C-alpha cells in the first residue's frame, strides 16, 4: 500500500470501464466520507465537446491540447442520483454543459481526445489540483496508475460488456423519463426509435469501440494498477459494491 507524502490529502482511486458503476460508487463514497470528488471523464468530455462544436480535426493534437489548457472548467457537486453516471454539474466558461457532455455524440470524440498524449498532459495539473483535505475520491481510467500513483486505496471496478451496456441503456431511459431538461440529439433520436434489443446491441457496439480505444492507447491506457483491488460488479448491486468498497476503506483506516 502506498502512503501519501506528509501534508498531502489521501486519495482513493476508482478506475474501470464505462458502465462498471464507478461513477455512482465514487459519488456515494465521496459523500459518505465527506471527501472531494473528481470525475476525470468529465474533463475529457469537455475537450471532446468543444472540439466537436468547433469542427476541429481530432488529429490536431496541438489545438486539442490548447483547448484542454485554456477551457475554464468547473466541476461542482450536486446531490447524487443513483441512475446518473455522475453527481457533478459541469460549467465551461460559466455555462452549464452538464447535459451537453453526456450526449451520445460526445462519447467517441471524448474517447479520441483522451488518446492524445498532449491533452492528457495538459489535464494532469487540473486533476491533481482536486487533491485537497480531507481527501479525494478520483474516478477515471488512470487515477491509480498515472494521476495519483500514491493513492491509499486503488479499486478497479469492472463488469461484463453485457452488464455495462444494460446499465447504460437504463441510464438513457431514466434520463428520457426524468424529463431531462433538453431534447434528444439526432443520434439519440435514432436510438429511441429502435426496438429495445437493437438499442442494446447499438449501445454495446459503441461501448466496445470506446473501451477498445481506451484499453489499447499507448499513453495511460485503461488498466488496473498492480496494487489495485479488482471488483467485478457484473452480478452485484450498487449496494453490494458499496459494502465491499467500504470494507476496504475501513481496512485501510481511511476516512472518518
Ligand atoms: O468516464 P467517461 O465515460 O465520462 O469518460 C469519457 C472518456 O474519457 C472515455 O473515453 C474515457 C476517457 N477517460 C480517460 O481516458 N481517462 C480518464 N481518467 C477518464 C476518462
Amino acid at each position: 500500500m502506498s502512503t501519501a507524502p506528509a501534508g498531502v490529502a489521501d486519495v482513493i482511486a476508482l478506475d474501470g470501464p464505462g458502465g462498471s458503476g464507478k461513477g455512482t460508487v465514487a459519488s456515494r463514497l465521496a459523500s459518505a466520507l465527506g471527501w472531494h470528488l473528481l470525475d476525470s471523464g468529465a474533463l475529457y468530455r469537455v475537450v471532446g465537446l468543444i472540439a466537436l462544436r468547433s469542427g476541429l480535426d481530432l488529429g490536431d493534437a496541438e489545438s486539442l491540447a490548447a483547448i484542454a489548457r485554456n477551457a475554464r472548467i468547473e466541476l461542482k457537486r450536486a446531490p447524487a442520483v443513483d441512475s446518473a453516471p455522475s453527481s457533478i454539474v459541469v460549467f465551461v466558461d460559466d455555462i452549464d454543459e452538464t447535459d451537453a457532455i453526456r450526449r451520445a455524440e460526445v462519447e467517441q470524440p471524448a474517447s479520441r481526445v483522451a488518446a492524445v498524449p498532449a491533452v492528457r498532459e495538459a489535464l494532469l495539473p487540473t486533476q491533481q489540483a482536486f487533491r485537497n483535505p480531507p481527501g479525494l475520491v478520483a474516478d477515471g481510467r488512470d487515477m491509480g496508475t498515472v494521476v495519483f500513483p500514491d493513492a491509499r486505496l486503488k479499486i478497479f471496478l469492472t463488469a461484463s460488456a453485457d452488464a455495462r451496456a444494460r446499465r447504460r441503456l437504463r441510464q438513457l431511459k431514466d434520463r428520457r423519463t426524468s424529463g431531462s431538461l433538453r431534447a434528444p440529439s439526432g443520434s439519440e433520436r435514432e436510438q429511441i426509435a429502435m426496438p429495445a434489443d437493437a438499442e442494446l446491441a447499438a449501445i454495446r457496439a459503441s461501448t466496445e469501440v470506446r473501451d477498445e480505444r481506451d484499453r489499447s492507447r499507448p499513453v495511460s491506457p485503461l488498466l488496473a494498477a498492480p496494487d489495485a483491488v479488482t471488483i467485478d460488479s457484473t452480478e452485484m448491486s450498487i449496494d453490494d459494491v458499496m459494502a465491499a468498497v467500504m470494507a476496504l476503506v475501513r481496512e485501510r483506516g481511511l476516512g472518518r
Side-chain angles (χ1 to χ4, degrees):
M1 182 194 357
S2 329
T3 312
V8 173
D10 284 331
V11 176
I12 297 176
L14 255 168
D15 289 305
S20 58
K22 104 196 125 62
T24 310
V25 171
S27 358
R28 280 224 213 160
L29 186 57
S31 302
L33 297 173
W35 283 16
H36 299 280
L37 173 67
L38 166 62
D39 172 356
S40 58
L43 302 176
Y44 292 99
R45 284 173 181 267
V46 167
V47 180
L49 174 72
I50 297 176
L52 187 69
R53 279 189 184 152
S54 49
L56 210 75
D57 172 6
L58 293 179
D60 181 353
E62 204 23 66
S63 302
L64 293 173
I67 294 176
R69 269 193 304 273
N70 300 329
R72 206 157 47 78
I73 309 172
E74 268 183 286
L75 307 184
K76 295 186 180 167
R77 291 287 282 285
V81 179
D82 277 359
S83 58
S86 168
S87 65
I88 53 143
V89 180
V90 181
F91 288 88
V92 184
D93 295 329
D94 297 321
I95 296 170
D96 185 345
E97 301 284 15
T98 313
D99 279 343
I101 63 158
R102 303 271 165 222
R103 286 182 178 229
E105 66 263 30
V106 176
E107 305 223 317
Q108 298 301 337
S111 164
R112 286 191 56 192
V113 304
V116 176
V119 170
R120 304 200 72 87
E121 210 174 293
L123 290 179
L124 196 59
T126 312
Q127 296 173 82
Q128 289 171 336
F130 278 78
R131 183 178 200 165
N132 287 304
L136 174 68
V137 177
D139 160 3
R141 305 292 189 285
D142 61 342
M143 299 296 99
T145 50
V146 175
V147 183
F148 303 107
D150 62 347
R152 287 281 306 283
L153 172 62
K154 299 178 186 179
I155 295 171
F156 193 78
L157 194 56
T158 180
S160 71
D162 247 351
R164 293 188 292 112
R166 276 179 211 289
R167 287 174 191 163
R168 173 85 185 114
L169 178 62
R170 203 171 50 227
Q171 281 171 357
L172 279 175
K173 285 194 167 147
D174 286 352
R175 236 170 55 179
R176 284 172 207 153
T177 51
S178 70
S180 180
L181 300 174
R182 57 177 186 75
S185 65
S187 57
E188 283 170 334
R189 264 198 306 275
E190 273 168 33
Q191 278 189 351
I192 290 167
M194 286 180 189
D197 281 0
E199 188 174 13
L200 187 63
I203 289 174
R204 192 182 152 146
S206 150
T207 310
E208 278 174 355
V209 170
R210 200 159 71 103
D211 286 353
E212 188 42 39
R213 190 183 297 118
D214 293 343
R215 269 197 197 100
S216 60
R217 66 183 175 222
V219 184
S220 303
L222 167 62
L223 185 76
D227 51 348
V229 179
T230 295
I231 298 177
D232 184 336
S233 72
T234 307
E235 303 288 336
M236 294 168 87
S237 67
I238 288 291
D239 286 342
D240 294 338
V241 178
M242 271 307 287
V245 169
M246 287 309 289
L248 290 165
V249 167
R250 280 191 294 271
E251 206 179 284
R252 306 268 162 118
L254 294 166
R256 47 193 182 194

